Amino acid sequence: MDTLEIKLKEEGKISRLTNKTFQFDKRLGEGFFAANYFLKSRKIVSEQCPNHIATMQFFQRTDDCKVCGLDEAIALIHTFAVHPEELEIVALNDGDIVSANEPVLKITGKYENFGFLESMIDGILARRSSVCTNCYRVLKALDGNDCFSMADRQDDYLTQIGDGYATYVAGIKKVSTDAQGYWWGGKGMGTMPHALIEIADGDVCRASDMYLASYPDTLITALIDYNNNVTVDAIKLAKHLGRKLRAIRVDTSKSLIDHYFDDKDTSGFDPHGVCKELIFSLRKILDDNGFDYVKIIVSSGFDAKKIEEWVKLKVPVDTYGVGTSLVNNTTVGFTGDLVTLDGHPQAKEGRRDIPSSRLQKVNYPIY
């Protein structure tokens, strides 16, 4: 990983990240990850009708999509294509906003030299753009409010590095693991899980004391829903820690109703999980007891729609922790099609070469 590339790109001194950043499994070039029929087509074309110049075009079907994975796909091509220096590649940039059916990448050259990479390019663009677009929509809903990604636990751990990069491209720079920040130089953040409170026999004050004994120079952000009594435990912890308490995080399960509502009428709203009525009450109780400096973080089931509603209602949240909705749905699915052959239109019915003035020529090599 070369974080210098990231810094130079941010400063506008290089146009793209390269395969210095993207450390590829060598089996990508051996066909291990390629759809088998692409491998067969490569052999057939090489033996039966080689040297035709074809253009492959990649697009997707979602409006207001924030595309990502282009630098990675180009680095893949430059690493594993045969004679990549002979290919002509034009592409948008990671982070560009695109419309449905707008081409984001075109590759022109001998089909047998690059066509076997098609499904891998599709997958890179689909995954990165889905995560990037999900994050982009969450950020629009946040309207300037703070957010951090908790998506590390929502999928196979091997997705963290690429997902973390897509999250960064979208604009979210607070992540949970070092892996999520690996390609752009970020570091994981966080203090304590529910497990630490359990080891402390359910005592959040004791868990915080143990934390401070190991990390004495930091402020604490504590999970406060372990006993499902967030207002009571928040005041208890704030009195115990004073200014060492930076924030509390409410992560109440959707299957539970906090004990704050035990003696209250909840007929006019749904009190389950992290509901806005609980957060309004928590903020008031903290302020009334002199703990207005303690910030409130919420997590558990937040997506762009729910965040947008809460922001409009001015629910007193300082930071939203978002996980599942960032990564666990395929917002964007990419397709690669051959659309020209030897300089002439040639595509399956319903597909064609779509002109785009936004695509930029990519030089080889790019570093």
Side-chain angles (χ1 to χ4, degrees):
M1 158 58 186
D2 187 354
T3 56
L4 177 61
E5 281 191 276
I6 302 290
K7 293 176 182 177
L8 290 174
K9 184 171 183 179
E10 288 181 339
E11 294 170 2
K13 295 179 181 177
I14 64 172
S15 60
R16 295 189 183 275
L17 301 182
T18 70
N19 47 4
K20 289 181 181 178
T21 295
F22 306 110
Q23 302 298 308
F24 295 114
D25 187 321
K26 66 179 182 180
R27 292 175 296 176
L28 285 159
E30 298 167 359
F32 183 70
F33 296 98
N36 191 257
Y37 64 178
F38 289 131
L39 300 178
K40 290 179 177 177
S41 294
R42 181 187 189 190
K43 177 178 172 62
I44 292 167
V45 171
S46 297
E47 294 177 353
Q48 307 299 327
C49 52
N51 301 320
H52 289 288
I53 304 301
T55 297
M56 184 175 289
Q57 170 181 274
F58 293 84
F59 72 97
Q60 54 81 49
R61 298 176 177 84
T62 302
D63 283 325
D64 198 28
C65 162
K66 180 162 279 204
V67 68
C68 189
L70 289 164
D71 286 4
E72 187 179 355
I74 291 165
L76 178 87
I77 297 163
H78 282 177
T79 304
F80 296 113
V82 178
H83 296 303
E85 71 279 3
E86 296 178 0
L87 300 176
E88 179 182 287
I89 301 173
V90 293
L92 297 182
N93 289 289
D94 283 343
D96 282 348
I97 302 298
V98 299
S99 301
N101 302 312
E102 179 180 1
V104 303
L105 171 68
K106 295 184 183 183
I107 312 161
T108 300
K110 295 179 182 178
Y111 175 79
E112 58 269 33
N113 287 352
F114 72 91
F116 67 101
L117 299 173
E118 178 184 329
S119 60
M120 292 174 280
I121 296 169
D122 279 337
I124 288 170
L125 294 176
R127 179 71 186 195
R128 304 290 176 259
S129 297
S130 292
V131 174
C132 194
T133 300
N134 292 339
C135 293
Y136 163 63
R137 291 173 180 173
V138 164
L139 284 168
K140 285 205 297 185
L142 284 163
D143 194 27
N145 287 275
D146 196 27
C147 175
F148 73 99
S149 169
M150 302 172 63
D152 57 290
R153 65 211 68 188
Q154 305 302 334
D155 212 328
D156 188 306
Y157 70 91
L158 292 173
T159 65
Q160 287 187 30
I161 294 176
D163 287 356
Y165 170 68
T167 299
Y168 168 81
V169 169
I172 296 176
K173 299 182 181 181
K174 291 184 177 180
V175 293
S176 300
T177 72
D178 290 352
Q180 290 170 288
Y182 184 63
W183 280 347
W184 51 273
K187 291 291 184 181
M189 54 171 282
T191 53
M192 71 172 69
H194 291 105
L196 182 61
I197 304 172
E198 179 176 349
I199 295 297
D201 199 26
D203 187 340
V204 68
C205 293
R206 183 183 169 204
S208 298
D209 288 341
M210 291 193 299
Y211 181 91
L212 285 172
S214 294
Y215 298 95
D217 298 324
T218 61
L219 299 179
I220 285 183
T221 295
L223 276 161
I224 207 67
D225 60 283
Y226 186 89
N227 298 303
N228 199 35
N229 205 356
V230 302
T231 56
V232 170
D233 279 356
I235 297 302
K236 182 190 299 183
L237 183 62
K239 289 179 177 179
H240 181 72
L241 291 180
R243 291 281 175 173
K244 291 296 287 184
L245 180 61
R246 186 190 77 87
I248 52 176
R249 176 158 71 93
V250 185
D251 189 55
T252 309
S253 168
K254 292 180 181 179
S255 65
L256 297 177
I257 298 174
D258 191 272
H259 289 303
Y260 173 78
F261 296 114
D262 286 352
D263 59 353
K264 295 174 178 62
D265 179 11
T266 61
S267 59
F269 62 94
D270 181 0
H272 288 85
V274 186
C275 64
K276 57 184 178 296
E277 292 79 9
L278 179 61
I279 302 305
F280 276 117
S281 299
L282 178 60
R283 180 74 272 164
K284 184 178 187 306
I285 289 169
L286 284 168
D287 293 350
D288 289 348
N289 282 271
F291 302 116
D292 57 336
Y293 59 87
V294 176
K295 297 183 180 299
I296 296 176
I297 301 170
V298 296
S299 54
S300 185
F302 283 87
D303 57 15
K305 182 178 179 181
K306 185 173 181 178
I307 290 170
E308 184 177 22
E309 176 193 355
W310 280 39
V311 168
K312 287 180 179 177
L313 293 173
K314 300 188 185 303
V315 182
V317 173
D318 295 287
T319 301
Y320 290 85
V322 187
T324 302
S325 69
L326 298 185
V327 297
N328 270 8
N329 55 63
T330 305
T331 306
V332 181
F334 273 86
T335 296
D337 295 300
L338 292 182
V339 290
T340 74
L341 183 65
D342 297 329
H344 302 287
Q346 182 57 255
K348 74 176 184 178
E349 183 70 24
R351 303 292 163 82
R352 62 182 177 86
D353 184 16
I354 303 172
S356 172
S357 61
R358 299 179 64 196
L359 297 172
Q360 302 170 14
K361 186 174 181 179
V362 180
N363 295 320
Y364 179 90
I366 53 176
Y367 54 90

